[in-house]
Amino acid sequence: MVGAGVLGLPYAMSELGWGPGVAVLVLSWIITLYTLWQMVEMHEMVPGKRFDRYHELGQYAFGEKLGLYIVVPQQLLVQVGLNIVYMVTGGASLQKFHKTVCPNCKNIKLTYFIMIFASVHFVLSHLPNFNSISGVSLAAAVMSFSYSTIAWGASIDKGIQKDVEYGYKAKSAAGTVFNFFGAMGEVACAYAGHNVVLEIQATIPSTPEKPSKGPMWKGVIVAYIIVALCYFPVALIGYWIFGNNVEDNILISLEKPAWLIAMANMFVVIHVIGSYQIYAMPVFDMIESVFIKKLKFPPSATLRFIIRNVYVALTMFVAITFPFFGGLLSFFGGFAFAPSTYYLPCIIWLIVKKPRKYSLSWWTNWICIVVGILLMVLAPIGGLRQIILSAKTYKFYS
């Protein structure tokens, strides 16, 4: 659950300001927990059947054809989008590690670090399935908790900066508004577990007496408490210490103690390696089944080898072209995460469970839907503007 999106939270706070920032953080936490609960509940709502994939749930609600067309592009966007963001994050953290450990070394370009990071995936992508990654996921969970803690711990240690300012950074009103939109997307990006939650729940044994939603919900609660412990301190303390001068990745703002910051960046790299694989697995699955079922390719090791390597190469290429962590976060956050995280579960819930009009459940779902749709429309505008502004001063493949 704790994604690398947490590193962008102080920067999102600097674009939102104290009041709206805290409100957006808390609201996102509550809404996503609610929609996650809906997904867990809907996993086995039809007796004797389990919806093991997000699109199966979509097909049940919207019909066979439409369900696929609504959910699958969403999921692909999320997974591919995250893989691109993770390529940038991995590369940037390796670069920061190199700079911190060896301040006097020759400067190596971010492009090369992204390539180094991608090289790991050319190997890892050929692991057979989810179970073979459970060790990796455990490591990733420990890592994300550690680097979140280092991020706010080292910030406190550094102390409030002399020239700290909490005002909006943008010079114009329009800039402030666009940044505000972008920041909402960055926060949305931090809550990204919904796209694999059904796949995770599918691995829990279930009987009519003891449905899988029991243990799953306990797991979700624990995960969300840990999420709160990681997200809130990083967002609030990071903003409190650096004000609006914070970088779009908090670990880049921190310098001392050098060994600790180097370690934190290495943790990010290890975590992002695991996360990249978890989000890439379903994509491989999808592409391979299209090749075999639709295009009638014979299933073979060669096919797998080619598909997976091409995918890794493509995500690497996009990451090298647009290595803007903040802009990518808010763009994908609004465009891909808002639907699958904020309002798709609510729409499915309304269709399937049919709560009474104007009842509490009905209102709650509609509010989430409105918030989610606003997010989806506004955040990518802010993110895209940020990418365009960064690209103006950035030399491609320099």
Side-chain angles (χ1 to χ4, degrees), residues 63 94 121 138 161 195 198 232 238-239 258 287 301 332 364 376 381:
L94 278 174
H121 294 292
L138 177 68
Q161 298 303 290
N195 293 286
L198 293 173
F232 294 117
Y239 180 40
I287 303 174
F332 284 123
T364 315
M376 182 181 97
I381 302 174

Side-chain angles (χ1 to χ4, degrees), residues 209-233:
E209 296 79 52
K210 290 182 82 170
S212 63
K213 69 182 179 193
M216 183 67 183
W217 180 235
K218 281 185 194 137
V220 169
I221 300 262
V222 172
Y224 256 70
I225 290 170
I226 294 176
V227 163
L229 290 178
C230 287
Y231 286 14
F232 294 117

Side-chain angles (χ1 to χ4, degrees), residues 227-398:
V227 163
L229 290 178
C230 287
Y231 286 14
F232 294 117
V234 172
L236 303 175
I237 294 172
Y239 180 40
W240 176 53
I241 299 290
F242 292 103
N244 57 18
N245 282 330
V246 71
E247 296 279 342
D248 61 4
N249 174 340
I250 174 94
L251 288 178
I252 309 288
S253 288
L254 293 160
E255 246 107 61
K256 295 186 171 60
W259 60 273
L260 194 67
I261 305 307
M263 196 165 75
N265 278 291
M266 220 53 225
F267 284 167
V268 174
V269 172
I270 296 170
H271 174 215
V272 173
I273 289 175
S275 301
Y276 182 96
Q277 287 304 322
I278 284 179
Y279 286 102
M281 285 280 168
V283 183
F284 296 149
D285 200 37
M286 240 177 255
I287 303 174
E288 281 159 26
S289 55
V290 166
F291 267 85
I292 291 162
K293 287 177 182 153
K294 287 269 170 22
L295 306 173
K296 298 283 180 275
F297 275 77
S300 64
T302 323
L303 182 70
R304 268 183 64 159
F305 185 75
I306 294 171
I307 288 176
R308 293 177 179 212
N309 284 348
V310 167
Y311 176 77
V312 175
L314 282 175
T315 50
M316 175 182 83
F317 181 69
V318 177
I320 289 172
T321 313
F322 303 107
F324 314 122
F325 182 68
L328 284 174
L329 266 190
S330 43
F331 179 72
F332 284 123
F335 200 58
F337 291 103
S340 58
T341 309
Y342 285 76
Y343 67 82
L344 218 55
C346 295
I347 294 177
I348 297 177
W349 185 269
L350 286 174
I351 293 175
V352 178
K353 296 277 189 177
K354 299 189 179 57
R356 224 178 52 249
K357 242 191 191 154
Y358 309 119
S359 62
L360 181 62
S361 165
W362 188 88
W363 276 114
T364 315
N365 284 308
W366 275 110
I367 291 169
C368 292
I369 291 171
V370 172
V371 170
I373 288 177
L374 282 174
L375 245 182
M376 182 181 97
V377 177
L378 301 176
I381 302 174
L384 207 57
R385 176 175 170 274
Q386 214 174 330
I387 293 176
I388 292 166
L389 287 178
S390 313
K392 265 186 187 159
T393 52
Y394 175 77
K395 291 190 176 64
F396 284 100
Y397 311 114
S398 56

Side-chain angles (χ1 to χ4, degrees), residues 84-101:
I84 294 167
V85 170
Y86 283 162
M87 279 277 179
V88 177
T89 317
S93 287
L94 278 174
Q95 188 181 36
K96 177 75 177 175
F97 177 78
H98 179 249
K99 271 187 190 146
T100 315
V101 171

